[in-house]
Amino acid sequence: MKEAPRLDIDPFDDQFLADPYAHHDALRDAGAVVWLEPIQTYAMARHAEVAAALRDHASFCSGRGVGLSDFAREAPWRPPSLLLEADPPLHDRMRGIMNKIVSMAAIKALRPVWAARAGELVDRLVDRRWFDAVADLGEAYPMAVFPDTIGLPVEGRENLLPYAAAVFNGFGPRNRVFDRGNAAAADAMAWVAMACRRENLRPGGWGAAVYEAVDQGECTPEEAERLVRSFLSAGVDTTINGIAHMILAFIRHPAEWDRLRADPSLAKRAFEESLRWDSTVQTFFRTTTRDVEVAGTTIPAGAKVLLFLAAANRDPRRWDNPDRFAIDRGTSGHVAFGYGIHQCLGQMVARLEGELLLEAMTRRVAAIRPAGEPRRRLNNTLHAIDSLPVEVVPA
Ligand code: OVV
């Protein structure tokens, strides 16, 4: 039986968070399972082991939290998510309710409206020629389509951004990034709590649909409120940064934009590849429910294990030339949306946004060029960008 190699790497310090990809080789190469001394947890960063742990939800549970904090020892900072931070059977019952709302049919119904919004936004940006791919595209587009779909109050929607930043910081330690990001979030938390209440959700939206499950006897009103909160927590900052990194991917690999323009039917695959290339949700923890043997190392029961989704998605053991963004690459098996029973509920929403923006842009944009240095926004879980100045050359 092997001891896990002990590494002096803190995956939540500023230096790591500013450029996580610079540190992934050290994590992957040290072993299939490593012990991270600064945060006193196990970690896995190779594709095979990350995917296997995600699949094995019975041994690697979520109910004790998917952050550093172990809910069995410490009270969670907010009531746990009934999806993300739950195990079967509760998780499956809640997920069943949400799957019926975020259905293929629902996504199909959104497409024409969301396509029109994407076209209008891209038209305006191409006219301007210079813009910020974070504020003006990455934030503007999801904020123009997603809150309406949930049926949220119009007033105060800007609170969604600091709220999500706080939620994703909350999966890491109470470090400086957490304090900085969460200082301003108190008002945002109050707004989100208000927005999740039944009387504040527009009839016909996905939020109201969750409360219809209460009327059907499928869940309690308290559960419904918590499920609506999941839409607000997970639905905005993720797609914002996913879209921004999709633009960054094309800026760093300009020939791929030419290839996409030559064959716009690659839009779907291009967005998927951008998620493999730069995974918005970099990490999540699991907690072992028993002694688990991984590649000859025993992880004891009750241990936190940090899964590096983003490192798995660039593991050279799994991907050829992994640092290269190649829009026609086979991305099947990437874990940017997770894997197994917790795999992203909103993945079709994210894909729709990415695909519709790319479709609108391939028609109107001949080239995307950097127009300044990207600025990072440090977050304990998300690979986030604060600003990405670009110039687009009209087609
Ligand atoms: C995937 C995700 C991220 C953050 C929050 C939640 C889910 C939630 O369910 O609250």
Side-chain angles (χ1 to χ4, degrees):
M1 198 53 63
K2 284 179 293 188
E3 277 273 313
R6 293 168 176 266
L7 302 184
D8 188 27
I9 295 176
D10 179 353
F12 300 103
D13 72 20
D14 283 6
Q15 205 207 358
F16 192 101
L17 294 176
D19 188 9
Y21 290 98
H23 304 274
H24 288 165
D25 271 328
L27 293 169
R28 283 184 302 246
D29 292 347
V33 183
V34 299
W35 172 262
L36 300 179
E37 203 58 57
I39 59 167
Q40 297 279 299
T41 75
Y42 292 90
M44 304 197 279
R46 296 182 186 173
H47 183 276
E49 285 77 18
V50 168
L54 292 171
R55 186 168 30 224
D56 184 4
H57 60 266
S59 308
F60 295 91
C61 79
S62 293
R64 287 167 71 167
V66 297
L68 178 61
S69 165
D70 181 353
F71 294 175
R73 299 161 191 257
E74 281 181 89
W77 74 273
R78 62 171 197 162
S81 165
L82 300 173
L83 297 161
L84 182 75
E85 298 158 324
D87 296 313
L90 172 66
H91 165 273
D92 298 5
R93 187 162 61 82
M94 296 295 127
R95 180 68 185 243
I97 292 169
M98 296 295 263
N99 282 344
K100 281 194 279 177
I101 298 169
V102 189
S103 65
M104 291 284 231
I107 299 290
K108 214 174 149 197
L110 295 176
R111 182 178 271 273
V113 184
W114 287 27
R117 294 270 170 90
E120 291 152 17
L121 177 62
V122 169
D123 279 345
R124 283 205 300 279
L125 295 176
V126 172
D127 283 346
R128 279 174 54 182
R129 197 154 169 169
W130 282 270
F131 61 89
D132 187 332
V134 177
D136 302 326
L137 182 73
E139 289 179 5
Y141 184 60
M143 289 298 280
V145 294
F146 187 73
D148 281 344
T149 298
I150 304 302
L152 296 180
V154 172
E155 185 85 18
R157 287 179 179 182
E158 67 282 358
N159 285 298
L160 290 168
L161 299 170
Y163 181 72
V167 167
F168 284 99
N169 277 328
F171 299 120
R174 301 297 174 257
N175 56 8
R176 281 173 33 228
V177 173
F178 177 92
D179 290 336
R180 243 181 276 143
N182 294 39
D187 291 348
M189 291 175 197
W191 186 86
V192 163
M194 176 280 295
C196 292
R197 297 170 60 87
R198 187 169 201 170
E199 64 268 28
N200 296 322
L201 292 160
R202 185 182 49 77
W206 289 3
V210 177
Y211 281 96
E212 280 158 31
V214 178
D215 304 336
Q216 302 303 311
E218 294 172 20
C219 67
T220 68
E222 292 74 21
E223 287 169 339
E225 198 170 317
R226 201 92 67 83
L227 288 175
V228 174
R229 194 192 65 180
S230 286
F231 282 140
L232 278 58
S233 304
V236 179
D237 217 9
T238 48
T239 55
I240 289 172
N241 285 294
I243 291 164
H245 279 98
M246 172 182 84
I247 300 299
L248 184 65
F250 281 109
I251 287 175
R252 296 272 165 82
H253 303 80
E256 295 305 289
W257 187 254
D258 302 333
R259 292 200 339 179
L260 180 60
R261 290 203 73 216
D263 183 2
S265 74
L266 290 172
K268 243 188 158 76
R269 295 175 67 173
F271 179 62
E272 212 67 23
E273 166 67 351
S274 80
L275 285 171
R276 183 203 65 79
W277 181 74
D278 201 302
S279 304
T280 316
V281 176
Q282 289 272 309
T283 52
F284 269 136
F285 288 85
R286 293 291 190 262
T287 311
T288 50
T289 57
R290 58 178 182 87
D291 292 357
V292 186
E293 198 201 308
V294 175
T297 298
T298 299
I299 306 175
K304 281 279 172 179
V305 185
L306 182 54
L307 304 180
F308 283 87
L309 309 178
N313 283 337
R314 289 208 201 177
D315 182 358
R317 294 159 191 79
R318 172 65 181 75
W319 313 94
D320 291 330
N321 210 347
D323 296 333
R324 216 187 104 66
F325 169 67
I327 63 170
D328 58 351
R329 180 198 292 276
T331 57
S332 146
H334 83 70
V335 291
F337 288 126
Y339 194 77
I341 65 166
H342 290 280
Q343 193 176 50
C344 182
L345 168 68
Q347 58 186 286
M348 290 191 295
V349 175
R351 288 192 181 108
L352 185 65
E353 291 181 14
E355 190 192 333
L356 291 175
L357 283 178
L358 279 183
E359 273 173 19
M361 288 179 71
T362 48
R363 275 183 263 126
R364 296 163 173 87
V365 175
I368 313 171
R369 295 176 182 156
E373 278 304 304
R375 199 173 58 233
R376 293 247 151 236
R377 178 192 308 164
L378 301 192
N379 182 282
N380 281 335
T381 301
L382 299 178
H383 201 209
I385 320 187
D386 211 37
S387 169
L388 179 60
V390 299
E391 174 192 2
V392 289
V393 180

